[in-house]
Amino acid sequence: MFRRAFWFTAGAAAGVWATTKVNRQLKKLTPESLAAQAADKAVEAGHRLKDFALDVKAGMSQREDELNDALGLHQDPDRPDNVTALPGPRLRAIQNDKTTHSNLSYNRNEDH
């Protein structure tokens, strides 16, 4: 008799456990629950994308500073933050190059 009562109780407990598990899964598959899960995933993906964009921006800024240091481009305190000044010798070389070309005249009739 105790043996039958034990197995009956074990079977009833297994049935209750299985029914509870199935009901939980069914609630997860309702349209409202699926929509909420999708919205949560979208928000989470948006946060990850924002973090990635901020990391990329920080890396770009760091690399730009490294390249400016390597090329000798320094920030001029009189200029806005996003404008860099060329170093002195290079700027003079460009200006001298422009003056030599501006003195030349071109006559198309000389070719014939």
Side-chain angles (χ1 to χ4, degrees), residues 29-107:
L29 296 177
T30 62
E32 295 84 13
S33 179
L34 290 176
Q37 288 175 8
D40 290 342
K41 294 289 184 180
V43 168
E44 183 181 330
H47 287 301
R48 278 191 264 149
L49 187 61
K50 180 181 176 185
D51 291 341
F52 174 72
L54 290 174
D55 288 344
V56 168
K57 186 176 179 180
M60 286 172 40
S61 177
Q62 178 183 358
R63 182 64 178 151
E64 184 178 358
D65 291 341
E66 291 171 2
L67 290 173
N68 284 340
D69 289 342
L71 295 173
L73 300 174
H74 302 288
Q75 287 291 93
D76 189 2
D78 297 333
R79 294 179 188 244
D81 290 339
N82 60 351
V83 177
T84 57
L86 289 174
R90 179 174 169 86
L91 186 61
R92 274 189 246 118
I94 291 172
Q95 288 174 347
N96 290 338
D97 190 34
K98 286 182 181 177
T99 57
T100 58
H101 288 299
S102 65
N103 293 335
L104 298 176
S105 64
Y106 180 69
N107 187 354

